[in-house]
Structure formats: C-alpha cells, structure tokens
Amino acid sequence: MERLLNKLIERNKYLTKYGKVADYIPALGNANPQDIGVCIMDIDGDIYTGGDYNKKFTIQSISKIISLMLAIMDKGEEEVFKKVGMEPTVEPFSSLYKLDLSHCEKPSNPMINSGAIVTTSLIEGKGEEKFNRLLKFMKKIILKDNLNYNKEVYLSEKETGYKNRAIAYLLKQKGLIEGNVENILDIYFKQCSIEVDCIDLAKIGIFIANKCKNPKSKEVLCDEKIASIIIPIMTTCGMYNFSGEYAINVGIPSKSGVAGGILAVVPGRYGIGVYGPALDGYGNSIVGYEILKDLSKELNLSIFK
Ligand code: GLN
C-alpha cells in the first residue's frame, strides 16, 4: 500500500504548479504549494502513509462535517434541516447572493460557508463553550489530546473575513441564526483553524466509514444514523460546485478544505486524508483530487461501481 501511495504522489506532483495556494486568508499564503501527503486508515485501524503526511495544516471547510454532526446530535435532524438545506449548489462555497433572494429560505447545504455558519450556531453551549465542545468531540474521534487551533490563521481570518461576516449578518436578518453574530463567527473561524495532519483526517474518515465508531476504541460517540446523513451530503456537496464531476471520476464521499486537505470516506473500508495546498479554481486541492482519482481506480473504491 505505501509503495502505491508514494507512486501516486510521484506521478501527480507535477500538477502542483497548475494550482494556487489560497491567500484570501493571508496566513494560508505561507503554505508550500509543493507539499503532498496521504494517509489511509483501514477498518482494522492500520495506517498507511506517504509523502508529507505529517505536515500540519488547518482543517478549514472539512470542519463543516464536524459541526454538522454536533448540530444534529444537539438539535436533531429535523431542527437542523429546517435552517439549512440538503441540496447541492452550482454557486462557489463563499457565495451569498442566493441567500439574499427573497424566495430563498435557507442556505442550500451545510458544506458551503452560509450553511456551516448555521450549523455552528446550532451547537449547544454559550460563547466559547460551543467551540470547546467541538474540539472535545474531535479529540475523541481522533483519540488525540493535543489538538488545537492555529492562532495565526484564526486571527488572520477574523481580521479579513468580510464576506463571511456579510453572510452571517444576512443569516441573522433572515432569522436563521440566533444570538450574537460576532460570537458565532468567532467559533466558525476557530473551528476552521484547527490544526490537523493527514493521519487525523484519515481517522475522522474511518470513524464515519465505520458508522461513527473509532475502530480502535470502539467507543460509540454518536448514533450511526448520523453517518448515513453525512455520507450522502459529502457525496453531493462536499467538493462544492465540483461535486458532480468528482462523483463520476472519484466516486468517494469527500470533503475538502481551502488549506489543501481532503477527507475521503470509503464506507465500511477506509478513511483517507490527503494534503496538497495548491488549489484548483473550485478551492479543492488540485493534486489531492488526482491522487484520489487514481487511488479510486487502483483500489476500486468508487461507491458507484
Ligand atoms: N475558513 C474558510 C472560509 O470560510 C473555509 C472555506 C473553505 O475551506 N472552503 O472561507
């Protein structure tokens, strides 16, 4: 397996020059566009790694999976989906224009920024408690105590997140979020800044692939039904407005983040974490996509085949 991972990294590394590191959050601009890492964890908890698998990066939009899980655990499926939809969208992840249309009742889905700001707001707890609960939940999933957020990235986004701020105030005006808007944004920016590596992503992936159970601890952290909501949402919305083509070419439920991470879930089989900060125009890791495409072919991982 590790030979395969390294072969795929070698085969695809030329692609990094066609991508661009995200710099609309200034601190993300410091990443090395040539970094590539992969980790696969199987259902027995065995780990296979390749390249820069232990490089740290911020989780960004992949955290949207975690906030969705917690929101459903806290408020129930019905309450959550009253305020956020479950439909894919052709708009980019940071779009707010549809939300401003009078007939648009709620964000299309929880994998775009507007939808994720809603799910974050639905996590139980006052102020900082929401974030602490999210971090604690992630620590339990990953079985890692020293997980934390990157202050520099958090402050960088907090200072420059004008568009997310506009989205959040629009959500407030439409009655889709309750409480103090700046506090909710603060939690959202912090959750996006949580530092992970490919192993951490693979562990979250296998937790979902294994119906919300860590294969090592076997501790049940949430109802397995949550996996059956998260997996289709990842499949249809996880790669933003590239989710359709991605489903055809890769066929693995996945979620990307703008720092270059992709988390992929092969139900009942594997959790996969890939890192490559050079992004394509959709905000997905350019080399991460190609590696997952190759891996899917080599190991027959598509859920559609
Ligand atoms: N923190 C980022 C933002 O809100 C997350 C976006 C992403 O990873 N696509 O813009």
Side-chain angles (χ1 to χ4, degrees):
M1 182 73 100
E2 297 205 330
R3 204 166 340 124
L4 171 65
L5 298 183
N6 287 313
K7 183 179 89 180
L8 299 187
I9 290 173
E10 280 307 308
R11 186 194 289 169
N12 288 300
K13 74 178 178 202
Y14 75 97
L15 284 165
T16 55
K17 64 173 180 285
Y18 299 110
K20 202 175 160 304
V21 167
D23 55 7
Y24 75 96
I25 300 171
L28 294 185
N30 301 330
N32 178 357
Q34 272 141 24
D35 283 347
I36 306 176
V38 194
C39 173
I40 298 193
M41 188 172 184
D42 67 20
I43 208 78
D44 301 317
D46 293 328
I47 277 182
Y48 307 93
T49 54
D52 304 302
Y53 69 90
N54 55 2
K55 258 255 157 91
K56 294 241 174 301
F57 54 94
T58 52
I59 190 165
Q60 297 299 334
S61 274
I62 303 168
S63 69
K64 291 169 179 168
I65 299 175
I66 311 288
S67 54
L68 175 60
M69 283 185 180
L70 260 185
I72 298 174
M73 284 159 68
D74 286 351
K75 295 282 175 10
E77 187 182 346
E78 206 181 311
E79 277 307 299
V80 170
F81 289 107
K82 261 187 205 155
K83 297 195 164 161
V84 58
M86 2 169 126
E87 302 306 333
T89 173
V90 292
E91 308 306 329
F93 65 82
S94 61
S95 174
L96 58 66
Y97 106 92
K98 257 200 181 146
L99 202 59
D100 193 31
L101 303 174
S102 52
H103 64 269
C104 173
E105 282 173 20
K106 55 191 179 186
S108 311
N109 68 68
M111 301 289 108
I112 53 172
N113 292 9
S114 51
I117 294 171
V118 170
T119 57
T120 297
S121 79
L122 291 172
I123 297 172
E124 287 294 351
K126 287 209 171 67
E128 196 66 10
E129 207 184 320
K130 283 186 201 289
F131 175 71
N132 291 337
R133 289 191 58 236
L134 185 135
L135 191 64
K136 197 168 155 202
F137 184 50
M138 265 185 78
K139 285 180 180 173
K140 281 192 165 177
I141 294 176
I142 302 178
L143 293 176
K144 183 174 174 178
D145 241 9
N146 59 346
L147 204 66
N148 218 332
Y149 68 98
N150 177 316
K151 280 218 173 63
E152 189 198 347
V153 175
Y154 156 69
L155 289 174
S156 180
E157 184 164 12
K158 189 177 160 82
E159 258 168 44
T160 57
Y162 307 113
K163 201 158 175 197
N164 282 326
R165 209 158 258 120
I167 290 173
Y169 279 97
L170 192 52
L171 290 167
K172 176 81 177 177
Q173 186 270 334
K174 287 179 89 102
L176 292 165
I177 56 176
E178 281 168 25
N180 182 296
V181 177
E182 291 300 325
N183 289 349
I184 294 165
L185 279 166
D186 216 54
I187 311 295
Y188 172 76
F189 295 145
K190 270 191 189 149
Q191 76 176 58
C192 288
S193 308
I194 293 174
E195 250 183 348
V196 290
D197 59 25
C198 291
I199 300 181
D200 299 329
L201 292 187
K203 286 183 177 170
I204 302 172
I206 199 68
F207 172 79
I208 299 169
N210 196 33
K211 299 188 176 166
C212 297
K213 275 190 295 301
N214 182 302
K216 285 267 199 253
S217 77
K218 306 261 193 297
E219 189 187 354
V220 181
L221 298 179
C222 57
D223 194 321
E224 65 176 58
K225 178 148 195 273
I226 292 193
S228 69
I229 299 171
I230 303 291
I231 291 173
I233 290 204
M234 288 173 77
T235 310
T236 53
C237 314
M239 303 300 282
Y240 316 117
N241 43 337
F242 186 65
S243 299
E245 191 169 332
Y246 186 89
I248 292 170
N249 293 333
V250 179
I252 309 174
S254 302
K255 179 76 205 86
S256 63
V258 87
I262 301 180
L263 180 157
V265 174
V266 186
R269 291 176 71 189
Y270 297 114
I272 307 173
V274 183
Y275 173 59
L279 306 180
D280 62 20
Y282 299 96
N284 298 322
S285 169
I286 195 161
V287 74
Y289 163 56
E290 293 295 333
I291 286 179
L292 282 157
K293 190 157 105 181
D294 286 349
L295 254 185
S296 178
K297 276 198 202 101
E298 299 262 359
L299 302 176
N300 199 18
L301 301 180
S302 170
I303 61 168
F304 300 108
K305 281 176 189 150

